[in-house]
Amino acid sequence: MLSRERLAAGTNPHKEPQFTTSGRTEAVASFIQQRIWLHDQLYSHSSDLSVYNILVPLIIKQGSLSIERIRSVLLTLIEQHSVLRTAVRFNPQSNQIEQYIQAATDEIYSFQHSRNINTSEQLDQLLTKESTGKIFDFEKGKVLRCHIVQRQDDNNTESLLYENDIIALRFHHITFDNSSLMPFIKAFKQIDLTNEQQSIFSVSQYIDFAIHEQMLLADTNIDSKMNKVRRYWSNLMDGYDWNRIQHFVPDENKTDQVRSGRAYSIVLSFDESIVDAMISFASSNNLTMFSLSFACYFVFLYKLINMDDDNLCVRSVLANRPKQEMKDITGMFVNLVPYRMKMEANNSFEYLIRKIPELSSNVLEHSCLPYQQIINSQDQQNHQVLPSTLFQYESLVSSVTAKNNIESSTIEGNYVLAVYFDRD
């Protein structure tokens, strides 16, 4: 007989673990941290370049800003956002990849000051090096770098930044994603405005997300959130031949390959007339630009392989911040998810675009399962053959909007900061 509580709760009384502030300084690394750590072990010795740098160049648009003040604000940010001083390394005793919050000191981040960067070519070279160079040591918690770029002559001895000077902030991807940018800039402005420092654990930290993720995954109840999500991915990917990667990567089945750490990225940019036509089509068919672009990408791949295979699978990235408490946390939350689509040559493009939004909605709803577990659920543990293509849609409109959101705020009336986008 069901208890009164069970009847009152309905047929599914199970409650998932709550996202709480733990105050912990050590924990198992999140799954995305583990994946980046493993990738670094595989490729760190094969190249002098890093694909895990996130560069945020800020330009002084108006007024002046003390370099000493910048260092003070950064140290306060590192104190408040513990992920910016978190080491990720393998623990041989527990046989796990773990994270350890370090003390906030001047040595926990990298700082450099360059002067007399007068030309756009010099600035472009400097920012390119910042974007691709290796400098971080995330196993010791050094995941943030600040490079001050003064564009005036060397006779400026005031230690002040003025209009067109640059604050180039660089983060390791293991500790920062694109959704962290606005919360970070917001915190930067707030600290400089109020001169207040919150208690280190007065708000949720990234380590709390990792702990919450582990609790969700460990919940064995048949009606738990993660078990429902596991069933979805098992059904979606059931019967998929993961070796279809060979269609896109010639000679992928060779056994004498050496991991180079290299990858290829192709950017498909469309001129204004095509974008206008796509916007009009999307609007008239009640579609998002993401759905329309994704449908076009599936058709592109289908044509690329001469329609020899009608069962396509493409990866894409999702922010993976489903709870409100996660939206203002600095950290790496992004998850990879596969989109599997059955192409039907006899059906129209209109038919395809009706399927994409439904697929996207279902994938988004079940996107909290770490990519490693999605793959493992398909018995891919032994060979780990992954889908080769990754689709990312980025609108220039969203970039301009983000720029304006930052540029519109003046701190204490002394200066205006904006993200430096244009390097032409």
Side-chain angles (χ1 to χ4, degrees), residues 135-152:
I135 194 172
F136 295 123
D137 187 352
F138 59 76
E139 292 204 342
K140 294 182 179 179
K142 297 191 70 170
V143 293
L144 170 63
R145 170 174 168 82
C146 177
H147 193 160
I148 300 296
V149 183
Q150 285 185 291
R151 309 199 68 187
Q152 291 82 12

Side-chain angles (χ1 to χ4, degrees), residues 174-231:
I174 204 169
T175 195
F176 200 89
D177 60 18
N178 288 334
S179 297
S180 298
L181 174 59
M182 293 304 291
F184 183 86
I185 298 298
K186 179 181 177 181
F188 187 103
K189 294 187 294 185
Q190 184 176 0
I191 292 170
D192 194 54
L193 181 64
T194 63
N195 289 306
E196 292 180 356
Q197 183 170 348
Q198 298 173 331
S199 173
I200 299 175
F201 295 113
S202 63
V203 294
S204 297
Q205 300 287 332
Y206 182 78
I207 197 170
D208 300 321
F209 161 72
I211 294 170
H212 180 69
E213 181 181 57
Q214 290 290 332
M215 291 173 63
L216 289 176
L217 292 169
D219 190 345
T220 59
N221 189 290
I222 191 172
D223 291 322
S224 71
K225 178 179 181 178
M226 282 301 187
N227 277 332
K228 291 180 179 179
V229 171
R230 288 185 181 99
R231 289 193 289 271

